[in-house]
Amino acid sequence: MDVTVVDAGAGPATRVPAGEADAAAAASIDGAGFLGCWRFATAPPDAPTRVVEIRFGATVDLDLGLVGVWLLGTAGPGIVPVLEIARTDDAGRLGRTVRLHLPAEIEVLALLRFDSARALERAWERLPGSLGLGAAPEAAPEPPAPPVVPLRARLP
């Protein structure tokens, strides 16, 4: 499949063979077809995020609304639906590019094709983004009431 995954700071990611444990873990997600898996170089220790591009060649005929990005980092796996991510069509290049801004701790990325939006949603609910991705933000707590400060009586 004509798909390239690029870490903007380190160049192309390394393709992970389908039989390797990380790829097999991604391929085991219910309702998904495995498209490929890539491993990134270690991010610099002071880098909070990394920019990743997934480049689909012109011959790749996919509904990106049914593609999920399975991510593995130090906090465990998570899934991000591609439809929630800004997509760009590069004028100077055939195909489509999806650009992700991910925590630097991401080590592995796999692409999964789901049969339906509901199947992708179910997978997302099971792996809601232990990496801080994908899950709906929690409601902000009520701000505390300002403390009541007694006024000092004026001294004569």
Side-chain angles (χ1 to χ4, degrees), residues 143-151:
V148 177
V149 179
L151 297 174

Side-chain angles (χ1 to χ4, degrees), residues 5 16 22-23 28 32 42 45 50 55 61 64 68 70 72-73 75 79 84 88 93 98 107 135:
V5 175
V16 177
D22 292 332
S28 70
T42 304
R50 68 167 85 221
R55 300 174 181 170
D61 184 19
L64 293 188
W70 181 91
L72 180 64
I79 288 181
E84 295 293 329
T88 59
R93 183 182 181 282
V98 173
E107 299 167 354

